[in-house]
């Protein structure tokens, strides 16, 4: 993808997507599968990195995809494309939304947006979990570890992320030898 294509790719998705970064991630995944250019494994790695980084996931995935295609300039073009539409929408429409949010048509619109975002999020999460867990039996270990550390032992998510990342680094070093 050229710099203009990267900008337009993220601008177009970000301009019509309601529901935040995870929905944008879902739309990026669907569009990327249609276009090709990044293997499913590489995109899953990008998704994992984007989800584990601080800050908006849409910005992280834009940065990583832009870097994949065009380096630093691609990252900058993709991030600007991802950030510009929500900025402009909030800038221009928030006064009207706040003023008319009590109207049934406006609240109905946002209820429809909520249903639509759910329809996008669920299949993306299901596909990512399925592809990750069915790849190798070892991939179940971090998944079960995260669930038990948060659900059973009530550990702070930051501690869980650091622990699982350390475990994965040790595993990668062991496999490399």
């Amino acid at each position: 993808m050229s710099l203009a294509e990267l900008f337009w790719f993220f601008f177009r998705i970000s301009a019509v997507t309601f529901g935040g970064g995870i929905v944008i991630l879902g739309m990026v995944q669907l569009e990327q599968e249609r276009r090709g250019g990044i293997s499913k494994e590489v995109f899953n790695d990008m998704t994992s990195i984007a989800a584990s980084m601080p800050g908006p996931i849409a910005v992280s995935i834009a940065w990583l995809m832009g870097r994949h295609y065009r380096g630093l300039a691609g990252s900058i073009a993709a991030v600007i494309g991802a950030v510009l539409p929500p900025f402009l929408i909030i800038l221009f429409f928030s006064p009207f939304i706040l003023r008319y949010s009590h109207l049934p048509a406006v609240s109905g619109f946002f209820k429809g947006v909520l249903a639509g975002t759910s329809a996008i999020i669920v299949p993306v999460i299901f596909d990512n979990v399925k592809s990750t867990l069915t790849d190798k039996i070892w991939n179940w270990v971090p998944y079960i570890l995260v669930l038990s550390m948060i659900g059973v032992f009530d550990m702070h998510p930051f501690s869980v992320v650091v622990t699982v990342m350390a475990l994965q680094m040790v595993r990668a070093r062991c496999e490399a030898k």
Side-chain angles (χ1 to χ4, degrees):
M1 273 196 239
S2 69
L3 293 176
E5 288 173 326
L6 279 166
F7 173 83
W8 184 245
F9 178 85
F10 282 97
F11 185 90
R12 187 172 39 93
I13 289 173
S14 186
V16 299
T17 307
F18 290 90
I22 195 73
V23 178
I24 289 175
L25 179 63
M27 295 296 290
V28 167
Q29 181 179 2
L30 293 172
E31 184 68 18
Q32 190 59 40
E33 287 174 359
R34 187 184 68 75
R35 298 181 106 191
I38 297 178
S39 71
K40 190 169 183 90
E41 294 80 25
V42 171
F43 189 81
N44 285 343
D45 289 344
M46 285 182 184
T47 301
S48 298
I49 293 168
S52 64
M53 297 300 294
I57 195 169
V59 172
S60 297
I61 198 67
W63 181 270
L64 292 169
M65 282 185 62
R67 183 171 177 266
H68 174 81
Y69 283 111
R70 293 285 176 221
L72 179 61
S75 292
I76 292 169
V79 168
I80 291 171
V83 171
L84 193 58
F87 172 77
L88 294 175
I89 289 169
I90 290 169
L91 183 68
F92 292 118
F93 291 115
S94 63
F96 301 107
I97 292 170
L98 292 173
R99 184 174 302 154
Y100 300 110
S101 63
H102 65 282
L103 296 176
V106 175
S107 62
F109 169 77
F110 285 108
K111 287 179 184 175
V113 166
L114 181 61
T117 56
S118 300
I120 293 170
I121 291 172
V122 170
V124 169
I125 291 172
F126 179 76
D127 286 345
N128 286 336
V129 169
K130 185 178 81 171
S131 68
T132 300
L133 294 181
T134 58
D135 188 30
K136 292 181 181 177
I137 193 69
W138 174 254
N139 291 340
W140 280 87
V141 173
Y143 183 73
I144 292 168
L145 188 61
V146 166
L147 287 177
S148 63
M149 290 172 79
I150 292 175
V152 176
F153 299 109
D154 198 31
M155 291 178 66
H156 191 276
F158 181 75
S159 303
V160 174
V161 168
V162 170
T163 303
V164 173
M165 284 175 60
L167 176 70
Q168 290 291 70
M169 284 192 266
V170 168
R171 181 186 68 88
R173 285 192 179 161
C174 290
E175 285 182 357
K177 291 182 180 179

